Amino acid sequence: MEAGSWAPRRWPCPPRIVLLALASVLSSLLSSGQARVYSRCELARVLQDFGLEGYRGYSLADWICLAYFASGFNTGAVDHEADGSTNSGIFQINSRKWCKNLNPNVPNLCQMYCSDLLNPNLKDTVICAMKITQDPQGLGSWEAWRHHCQGKDLSDWVDGCEL
């Protein structure tokens, strides 16, 4: 080897970014492999146990309706938006504001990775959804809820469920 021929290797991206991207992809793959599609009543019981019945004035039926129209009750649902953001999990929470994906310049108001929202146990998802609902728009923050649930009789969403 000639003297002076060795030079430090230049990375196309900083190593920390590469590791973050890799961790995010792996986490997403692992989480989506464990995705779960809840039944209507099963989800109603889980969300009731997390205290969503009556939270900020919204009924359990509001939350069930939202989950159905957002993701079809699928915890592993991920939708990619044209602006590069993603909607993740059973409530399709967006990475533009609420969770962290690969873009380090987002507010991440829920203080979690978007891949955390794909977990079938729903704890992180419910914590983030509660934070979103504290926003002045409440459940109106979700287009799916505004278009399909708001102002409608939602009693059928929990009818027959043993709550």
Side-chain angles (χ1 to χ4, degrees):
M1 184 192 276
E2 295 177 17
S5 66
W6 184 87
R9 185 176 183 172
R10 290 208 163 271
W11 292 81
C13 302
R16 200 170 71 186
I17 300 284
V18 172
L19 289 176
L20 177 63
L22 182 59
S24 179
V25 168
L26 288 175
S27 177
S28 178
L29 290 173
L30 292 173
S31 296
S32 63
Q34 301 171 6
R36 179 175 183 178
V37 179
Y38 279 87
S39 73
R40 177 179 59 87
C41 290
E42 183 181 29
L43 181 61
R45 284 188 291 278
V46 168
L47 296 182
Q48 182 180 46
D49 289 347
F50 278 119
L52 288 183
E53 172 62 57
Y55 183 75
R56 293 280 176 171
Y58 296 103
S59 70
L60 201 52
D62 281 301
W63 292 98
I64 301 303
C65 181
L66 167 61
Y68 176 78
F69 285 106
S71 70
F73 303 141
N74 183 357
T75 64
V78 177
D79 182 42
H80 300 274
E81 297 288 341
D83 68 358
S85 68
T86 57
N87 300 312
S88 302
I90 204 162
F91 294 129
Q92 291 292 278
I93 295 171
N94 191 273
S95 66
R96 240 179 274 116
K97 183 175 180 180
W98 300 105
C99 61
K100 183 177 181 125
N101 256 350
L102 299 178
N103 184 352
N105 300 322
V106 298
N108 189 11
L109 297 176
C110 287
Q111 296 295 301
M112 61 183 65
Y113 288 100
C114 297
S115 59
D116 295 340
L117 302 169
L118 304 175
N119 193 321
N121 80 14
L122 299 181
K123 179 183 176 190
D124 291 327
T125 298
V126 168
I127 289 168
C128 188
M130 291 171 105
K131 183 176 278 282
I132 294 169
T133 309
Q134 293 170 15
D135 197 66
Q137 287 185 303
L139 284 183
S141 297
W142 281 275
E143 185 177 328
W145 182 82
R146 288 192 320 268
H147 289 184
H148 300 285
C149 312
Q150 185 176 23
K152 298 188 175 154
D153 177 7
L154 302 176
S155 58
D156 286 348
W157 288 104
V158 292
D159 276 356
C161 299
E162 296 179 19
L163 299 172

